[in-house]
Amino acid sequence: MSDQLPYRPDPVRTRWEPAMRLALAEAALAPATGDVPVGALIFGPDGTVIGRGHNAREAVGDPTAHAEVVAIREAATAVGEWRLSGCTLVVTLEPCTMCAGAIVLSRLDRVVYGALDAKAGAAGSLWDVIRDRRLNHRPEVIPDVLADACAEQLRDFFDGHRE
């Protein structure tokens, strides 16, 4: 008899895997313009996509054109206001400090991310801006959803640029 327990997937993370696959597809659009493959989707309270974005800094020459910010802008336009209460952001890479600030300010309820960003992450790795107790709004954070697939997409991009 084995001493190991059977593998039981985390139901919270598993629930977000289909959404993360959509974010991975969005991220795959970024390298066509030389941008790092990061993709983001915002789901409204009813589960429909109301915002999407992929990194576009190179494409538009805008340092704020991170996938999350692009998706937040589109979602705010879709709902007709800046408050995105009841909405969920799904992004392939842990948000940076700029994006974490935008997430808090837009009042998103939840952030689901894939790969950890040990160099610039602000949702639990290097910093935890999103859940800072000093802020007036703290979204729920669900990390590590399809983390390996998200990290692999980034690794493949950077490996291709180092050759």
Side-chain angles (χ1 to χ4, degrees):
M1 185 173 223
S2 173
D3 289 335
Q4 292 183 336
L5 295 173
Y7 170 73
R8 290 194 177 99
D10 180 340
V12 173
R13 287 186 178 89
T14 303
R15 172 180 179 226
W16 292 104
E17 287 179 0
M20 188 61 74
R21 285 188 184 87
L22 293 174
L24 281 162
E26 183 69 26
L29 302 173
T33 57
D35 282 288
V36 176
V38 177
L41 298 172
I42 295 183
F43 293 86
D46 65 354
T48 61
V49 175
I50 60 169
R52 64 179 60 239
H54 54 273
N55 275 358
R57 293 185 313 170
E58 300 295 332
V60 299
D62 179 354
T64 69
H66 288 205
E68 301 95 323
V69 172
V70 173
I72 287 169
R73 288 176 180 156
E74 187 173 295
T77 298
V79 300
E81 70 167 307
W82 62 269
R83 286 179 196 85
L84 299 176
S85 301
C87 298
T88 299
L89 169 72
V90 177
V91 61
T92 58
L93 180 64
E94 179 184 2
C96 70
T97 53
M98 176 186 70
C99 294
I103 288 163
V104 170
L105 292 172
S106 65
R107 304 297 193 267
L108 284 159
D109 278 10
R110 181 177 306 103
V111 177
V112 178
Y113 72 84
L116 186 78
D117 187 349
K119 292 182 180 179
S125 63
L126 189 56
W127 296 288
D128 200 353
V129 172
I130 293 175
R131 294 178 288 196
D132 190 310
R133 293 175 155 248
R134 294 168 292 185
L135 299 175
N136 66 337
H137 180 73
R138 290 181 298 280
E140 174 186 14
V141 175
I142 301 170
D144 304 321
V145 175
L146 296 179
D148 291 341
C150 294
E152 182 179 2
Q153 189 178 47
L154 289 161
R155 251 190 323 274
D156 289 348
F157 174 80
F158 287 113
D159 286 350
H161 279 71
R162 290 185 187 120
E163 294 175 0

